[in-house]
Amino acid sequence: MAVSNPAQGILSDELREKRDQVIELLKKAYWMEIETVMSYVANSINPDGVRAQEIREALEADVQDELGHAQQFGNRIKELYGVVPGSLDFRAEQSSLQPPDQQTDIVHVIRGVIEAETGAIEHYNHIIEVTDGVDWVTQDMVITILHDEEGHRRLFEGFLREFEVDGLA
Ligand SMILES: [Fe+2]
Ligand SMILES: [Fe+2]
């Protein structure tokens, strides 16, 4: 016997088109998180110098957060009857987080992190708006993730302030 879909909510037949739209937005979010993991791993290793240590440790901790976000986005894609994409679909976009010419250039890394977090914040705000009233579960999940990204961004804004005060940024 075939199971019937829920009459209401994002899993209903009526909202199939909306569901596909949400899945596409979640896939983009998934790739953003995966790329952030790559960038933060590299930038938690590369930087040199006395001032680099704090930044490296913060990014090392963030790697776990961003990986957890990617897993959450992947699971939600599946719950909405989508498929988590394979690695061949990946397209890199984070030009601001490539290694600087000098590995003591911490300001380059800090600015790159702020740009990546800003991009995530903008995309997640968009998902929250698109899902409003139609997919509460995705919206709730993304609000929590958005909170993490705002925290990450604020931390690195604070790092940048210190360099600005010292005339280094
Ligand atoms: Fe994230
Ligand atoms: Fe983040």
Side-chain angles (χ1 to χ4, degrees):
M1 197 175 85
V3 296
S4 57
N5 291 333
Q8 267 146 23
I10 194 66
L11 299 180
S12 66
D13 291 336
E14 290 72 40
L15 288 181
R16 164 187 272 278
E17 245 174 66
K18 189 74 180 182
R19 198 160 61 233
D20 289 342
Q21 184 195 358
V22 173
I23 288 171
E24 286 313 304
L25 294 172
L26 291 174
K27 282 183 185 172
K28 181 180 158 81
Y30 172 80
W31 285 130
M32 288 170 82
E33 296 290 351
I34 295 284
E35 186 170 16
T36 300
V37 168
M38 286 194 269
S39 296
Y40 287 7
V41 166
N43 286 291
S44 70
I45 296 169
N46 284 332
D48 277 323
V50 179
R51 288 173 178 258
Q53 205 54 28
E54 198 78 27
I55 308 298
R56 290 178 55 191
E57 282 168 20
L59 286 174
E60 203 178 310
D62 284 354
V63 165
Q64 302 308 320
D65 285 359
E66 312 299 10
L67 181 60
H69 294 162
Q71 289 170 314
Q72 282 181 275
F73 282 121
N75 276 301
R76 189 60 186 154
I77 289 167
K78 178 170 178 169
E79 284 166 0
L80 295 178
Y81 304 123
V83 176
V84 182
S87 58
L88 289 180
D89 284 348
F90 177 70
R91 267 192 18 254
E93 288 177 356
Q94 281 178 357
S95 50
S96 67
L97 272 168
Q98 303 310 300
D101 295 336
Q102 302 293 329
Q103 297 317 311
T104 50
D105 187 355
I106 303 304
V107 171
H108 170 95
V109 175
I110 296 171
R111 287 193 195 283
V113 170
I114 291 172
E115 196 171 318
E117 297 292 345
T118 302
I121 287 167
E122 286 171 357
H123 185 55
Y124 301 166
N125 269 294
H126 179 56
I127 297 178
I128 289 164
E129 281 168 21
V130 168
T131 52
D132 192 54
V134 292
D135 183 355
W136 303 112
V137 175
T138 297
Q139 187 184 54
D140 182 61
M141 182 190 86
V142 177
I143 287 171
T144 303
I145 295 174
L146 175 64
H147 191 183
D148 287 347
E149 312 302 12
E150 288 183 349
H152 294 159
R153 191 182 186 284
R154 181 62 185 87
L155 180 67
F156 278 77
E157 248 183 43
F159 289 143
L160 188 62
R161 279 185 196 181
E162 188 180 312
F163 283 87
E164 282 169 348
V165 166
D166 296 350
L168 297 169

mmCIF file of all heavy atoms in Angstrom, residues 29 32-34 36-37 40 62-63 65-70 73 116-117 120 124 145-146 148-149 152, ligand 1:
data_model
loop_
_atom_site.group_PDB
_atom_site.id
_atom_site.type_symbol
_atom_site.label_atom_id
_atom_site.label_comp_id
_atom_site.label_asym_id
_atom_site.label_seq_id
_atom_site.Cartn_x
_atom_site.Cartn_y
_atom_site.Cartn_z
ATOM 1 N N ALA A 29 24.116 26.078 0.069
ATOM 2 C CA ALA A 29 24.600 26.240 1.444
ATOM 3 C C ALA A 29 25.566 25.121 1.812
ATOM 4 O O ALA A 29 26.617 25.346 2.437
ATOM 5 C CB ALA A 29 23.408 26.263 2.413
ATOM 6 N N MET A 32 28.871 25.807 0.216
ATOM 7 C CA MET A 32 29.547 26.922 0.892
ATOM 8 C C MET A 32 30.231 26.423 2.161
ATOM 9 O O MET A 32 31.362 26.809 2.470
ATOM 10 C CB MET A 32 28.531 28.026 1.241
ATOM 11 C CG MET A 32 28.042 28.803 0.031
ATOM 12 S SD MET A 32 26.646 29.886 0.429
ATOM 13 C CE MET A 32 27.524 31.298 1.106
ATOM 14 N N GLU A 33 29.547 25.558 2.902
ATOM 15 C CA GLU A 33 30.127 25.025 4.140
ATOM 16 C C GLU A 33 31.331 24.128 3.847
ATOM 17 O O GLU A 33 32.350 24.198 4.530
ATOM 18 C CB GLU A 33 29.070 24.240 4.926
ATOM 19 C CG GLU A 33 27.889 25.066 5.414
ATOM 20 C CD GLU A 33 28.254 26.033 6.535
ATOM 21 O OE1 GLU A 33 29.375 25.959 7.062
ATOM 22 O OE2 GLU A 33 27.396 26.873 6.859
ATOM 23 N N ILE A 34 31.191 23.292 2.819
ATOM 24 C CA ILE A 34 32.301 22.389 2.459
ATOM 25 C C ILE A 34 33.535 23.204 2.054
ATOM 26 O O ILE A 34 34.660 22.905 2.465
ATOM 27 C CB ILE A 34 31.888 21.454 1.296
ATOM 28 C CG1 ILE A 34 30.769 20.505 1.734
ATOM 29 C CG2 ILE A 34 33.098 20.695 0.751
ATOM 30 C CD1 ILE A 34 31.203 19.354 2.604
ATOM 31 N N THR A 36 34.198 26.233 2.947
ATOM 32 C CA THR A 36 34.703 26.905 4.144
ATOM 33 C C THR A 36 35.556 25.948 4.975
ATOM 34 O O THR A 36 36.585 26.344 5.526
ATOM 35 C CB THR A 36 33.526 27.471 4.979
ATOM 36 O OG1 THR A 36 32.810 28.401 4.168
ATOM 37 C CG2 THR A 36 34.014 28.172 6.220
ATOM 38 N N VAL A 37 35.141 24.702 5.058
ATOM 39 C CA VAL A 37 35.965 23.707 5.765
ATOM 40 C C VAL A 37 37.354 23.640 5.131
ATOM 41 O O VAL A 37 38.373 23.715 5.827
ATOM 42 C CB VAL A 37 35.292 22.315 5.746
ATOM 43 C CG1 VAL A 37 36.270 21.233 6.206
ATOM 44 C CG2 VAL A 37 34.050 22.302 6.641
ATOM 45 N N TYR A 40 39.274 26.915 5.883
ATOM 46 C CA TYR A 40 39.657 27.094 7.286
ATOM 47 C C TYR A 40 40.721 26.073 7.708
ATOM 48 O O TYR A 40 41.586 26.383 8.525
ATOM 49 C CB TYR A 40 38.432 27.015 8.200
ATOM 50 C CG TYR A 40 37.524 28.235 8.128
ATOM 51 C CD1 TYR A 40 37.750 29.249 7.191
ATOM 52 C CD2 TYR A 40 36.440 28.372 8.985
ATOM 53 C CE1 TYR A 40 36.911 30.362 7.119
ATOM 54 C CE2 TYR A 40 35.606 29.485 8.922
ATOM 55 C CZ TYR A 40 35.838 30.470 7.981
ATOM 56 O OH TYR A 40 34.997 31.565 7.921
ATOM 57 N N ASP A 62 36.575 26.458 14.345
ATOM 58 C CA ASP A 62 35.472 26.716 13.409
ATOM 59 C C ASP A 62 35.319 25.594 12.384
ATOM 60 O O ASP A 62 34.212 25.360 11.895
ATOM 61 C CB ASP A 62 35.693 28.045 12.670
ATOM 62 C CG ASP A 62 35.376 29.246 13.554
ATOM 63 O OD1 ASP A 62 34.891 29.021 14.680
ATOM 64 O OD2 ASP A 62 35.600 30.385 13.119
ATOM 65 N N VAL A 63 36.402 24.921 12.045
ATOM 66 C CA VAL A 63 36.324 23.823 11.074
ATOM 67 C C VAL A 63 35.251 22.826 11.506
ATOM 68 O O VAL A 63 34.430 22.380 10.691
ATOM 69 C CB VAL A 63 37.688 23.096 10.932
ATOM 70 C CG1 VAL A 63 37.519 21.758 10.228
ATOM 71 C CG2 VAL A 63 38.685 23.965 10.170
ATOM 72 N N ASP A 65 32.661 23.392 13.477
ATOM 73 C CA ASP A 65 31.338 24.020 13.344
ATOM 74 C C ASP A 65 30.852 23.934 11.901
ATOM 75 O O ASP A 65 29.705 23.565 11.636
ATOM 76 C CB ASP A 65 31.400 25.503 13.736
ATOM 77 C CG ASP A 65 31.499 25.702 15.234
ATOM 78 O OD1 ASP A 65 31.495 24.699 15.973
ATOM 79 O OD2 ASP A 65 31.587 26.873 15.664
ATOM 80 N N GLU A 66 31.738 24.300 10.973
ATOM 81 C CA GLU A 66 31.321 24.377 9.560
ATOM 82 C C GLU A 66 31.044 22.971 9.010
ATOM 83 O O GLU A 66 30.112 22.782 8.227
ATOM 84 C CB GLU A 66 32.381 25.092 8.709
ATOM 85 C CG GLU A 66 32.902 26.419 9.267
ATOM 86 C CD GLU A 66 31.865 27.518 9.462
ATOM 87 O OE1 GLU A 66 30.658 27.267 9.351
ATOM 88 O OE2 GLU A 66 32.289 28.659 9.751
ATOM 89 N N LEU A 67 31.825 22.008 9.440
ATOM 90 C CA LEU A 67 31.566 20.620 9.025
ATOM 91 C C LEU A 67 30.202 20.161 9.543
ATOM 92 O O LEU A 67 29.419 19.529 8.817
ATOM 93 C CB LEU A 67 32.677 19.703 9.557
ATOM 94 C CG LEU A 67 32.570 18.222 9.204
ATOM 95 C CD1 LEU A 67 32.574 18.011 7.700
ATOM 96 C CD2 LEU A 67 33.723 17.437 9.848
ATOM 97 N N GLY A 68 29.907 20.501 10.780
ATOM 98 C CA GLY A 68 28.597 20.178 11.358
ATOM 99 C C GLY A 68 27.468 20.840 10.578
ATOM 100 O O GLY A 68 26.423 20.223 10.343
ATOM 101 N N HIS A 69 27.689 22.084 10.143
ATOM 102 C CA HIS A 69 26.675 22.770 9.328
ATOM 103 C C HIS A 69 26.451 22.016 8.014
ATOM 104 O O HIS A 69 25.319 21.824 7.589
ATOM 105 C CB HIS A 69 27.118 24.207 9.015
ATOM 106 C CG HIS A 69 27.206 25.097 10.219
ATOM 107 N ND1 HIS A 69 27.902 26.275 10.223
ATOM 108 C CD2 HIS A 69 26.685 24.961 11.466
ATOM 109 C CE1 HIS A 69 27.795 26.847 11.414
ATOM 110 N NE2 HIS A 69 27.071 26.074 12.186
ATOM 111 N N ALA A 70 27.557 21.629 7.362
ATOM 112 C CA ALA A 70 27.435 20.901 6.089
ATOM 113 C C ALA A 70 26.609 19.632 6.292
ATOM 114 O O ALA A 70 25.751 19.296 5.463
ATOM 115 C CB ALA A 70 28.825 20.556 5.549
ATOM 116 N N PHE A 73 22.916 20.570 6.658
ATOM 117 C CA PHE A 73 22.324 20.907 5.354
ATOM 118 C C PHE A 73 22.095 19.631 4.527
ATOM 119 O O PHE A 73 21.054 19.474 3.893
ATOM 120 C CB PHE A 73 23.209 21.898 4.594
ATOM 121 C CG PHE A 73 23.087 23.315 5.085
ATOM 122 C CD1 PHE A 73 24.192 23.999 5.569
ATOM 123 C CD2 PHE A 73 21.863 23.967 5.067
ATOM 124 C CE1 PHE A 73 24.075 25.318 6.025
ATOM 125 C CE2 PHE A 73 21.734 25.275 5.529
ATOM 126 C CZ PHE A 73 22.854 25.952 6.007
ATOM 127 N N ALA A 116 33.836 35.453 3.903
ATOM 128 C CA ALA A 116 33.158 34.153 3.808
ATOM 129 C C ALA A 116 31.942 34.107 4.740
ATOM 130 O O ALA A 116 30.867 33.633 4.363
ATOM 131 C CB ALA A 116 34.130 33.028 4.149
ATOM 132 N N GLU A 117 32.114 34.594 5.961
ATOM 133 C CA GLU A 117 31.009 34.581 6.925
ATOM 134 C C GLU A 117 29.884 35.510 6.466
ATOM 135 O O GLU A 117 28.703 35.191 6.629
ATOM 136 C CB GLU A 117 31.502 34.991 8.320
ATOM 137 C CG GLU A 117 32.546 34.044 8.925
ATOM 138 C CD GLU A 117 31.991 32.659 9.276
ATOM 139 O OE1 GLU A 117 30.762 32.495 9.325
ATOM 140 O OE2 GLU A 117 32.810 31.737 9.474
ATOM 141 N N ALA A 120 27.871 33.736 3.861
ATOM 142 C CA ALA A 120 26.998 32.740 4.485
ATOM 143 C C ALA A 120 25.793 33.428 5.133
ATOM 144 O O ALA A 120 24.646 32.995 4.962
ATOM 145 C CB ALA A 120 27.779 31.929 5.528
ATOM 146 N N TYR A 124 21.965 32.642 4.120
ATOM 147 C CA TYR A 124 21.083 32.020 5.119
ATOM 148 C C TYR A 124 19.897 32.919 5.441
ATOM 149 O O TYR A 124 18.790 32.424 5.664
ATOM 150 C CB TYR A 124 21.875 31.633 6.373
ATOM 151 C CG TYR A 124 22.997 30.657 6.046
ATOM 152 C CD1 TYR A 124 24.014 30.372 6.940
ATOM 153 C CD2 TYR A 124 23.038 30.025 4.795
ATOM 154 C CE1 TYR A 124 25.037 29.490 6.611
ATOM 155 C CE2 TYR A 124 24.050 29.164 4.459
ATOM 156 C CZ TYR A 124 25.055 28.888 5.366
ATOM 157 O OH TYR A 124 26.068 28.031 5.026
ATOM 158 N N ILE A 145 21.928 28.032 12.573
ATOM 159 C CA ILE A 145 23.221 28.095 11.877
ATOM 160 C C ILE A 145 23.624 29.548 11.646
ATOM 161 O O ILE A 145 24.796 29.917 11.814
ATOM 162 C CB ILE A 145 23.159 27.301 10.546
ATOM 163 C CG1 ILE A 145 22.954 25.805 10.837
ATOM 164 C CG2 ILE A 145 24.432 27.517 9.725
ATOM 165 C CD1 ILE A 145 22.729 24.933 9.603
ATOM 166 N N LEU A 146 22.640 30.382 11.293
ATOM 167 C CA LEU A 146 22.921 31.812 11.098
ATOM 168 C C LEU A 146 23.521 32.418 12.366
ATOM 169 O O LEU A 146 24.448 33.234 12.299
ATOM 170 C CB LEU A 146 21.627 32.535 10.706
ATOM 171 C CG LEU A 146 21.705 34.063 10.583
ATOM 172 C CD1 LEU A 146 22.653 34.478 9.464
ATOM 173 C CD2 LEU A 146 20.322 34.662 10.337
ATOM 174 N N ASP A 148 25.383 30.934 14.554
ATOM 175 C CA ASP A 148 26.802 30.544 14.588
ATOM 176 C C ASP A 148 27.644 31.455 13.693
ATOM 177 O O ASP A 148 28.718 31.921 14.090
ATOM 178 C CB ASP A 148 26.984 29.098 14.098
ATOM 179 C CG ASP A 148 26.489 28.073 15.111
ATOM 180 O OD1 ASP A 148 26.232 28.452 16.275
ATOM 181 O OD2 ASP A 148 26.370 26.889 14.731
ATOM 182 N N GLU A 149 27.144 31.693 12.470
ATOM 183 C CA GLU A 149 27.934 32.493 11.507
ATOM 184 C C GLU A 149 28.076 33.935 11.982
ATOM 185 O O GLU A 149 29.132 34.545 11.813
ATOM 186 C CB GLU A 149 27.298 32.469 10.107
ATOM 187 C CG GLU A 149 26.893 31.110 9.566
ATOM 188 C CD GLU A 149 27.993 30.072 9.464
ATOM 189 O OE1 GLU A 149 29.094 30.279 10.010
ATOM 190 O OE2 GLU A 149 27.738 29.027 8.826
ATOM 191 N N HIS A 152 30.811 33.838 14.461
ATOM 192 C CA HIS A 152 32.127 33.722 13.810
ATOM 193 C C HIS A 152 32.557 35.084 13.245
ATOM 194 O O HIS A 152 33.700 35.504 13.399
ATOM 195 C CB HIS A 152 32.068 32.726 12.633
ATOM 196 C CG HIS A 152 31.809 31.302 13.047
ATOM 197 N ND1 HIS A 152 31.315 30.359 12.178
ATOM 198 C CD2 HIS A 152 31.990 30.659 14.226
ATOM 199 C CE1 HIS A 152 31.196 29.205 12.802
ATOM 200 N NE2 HIS A 152 31.583 29.357 14.047
HETATM 201 FE FE FE B 1 28.851 27.426 8.642
#
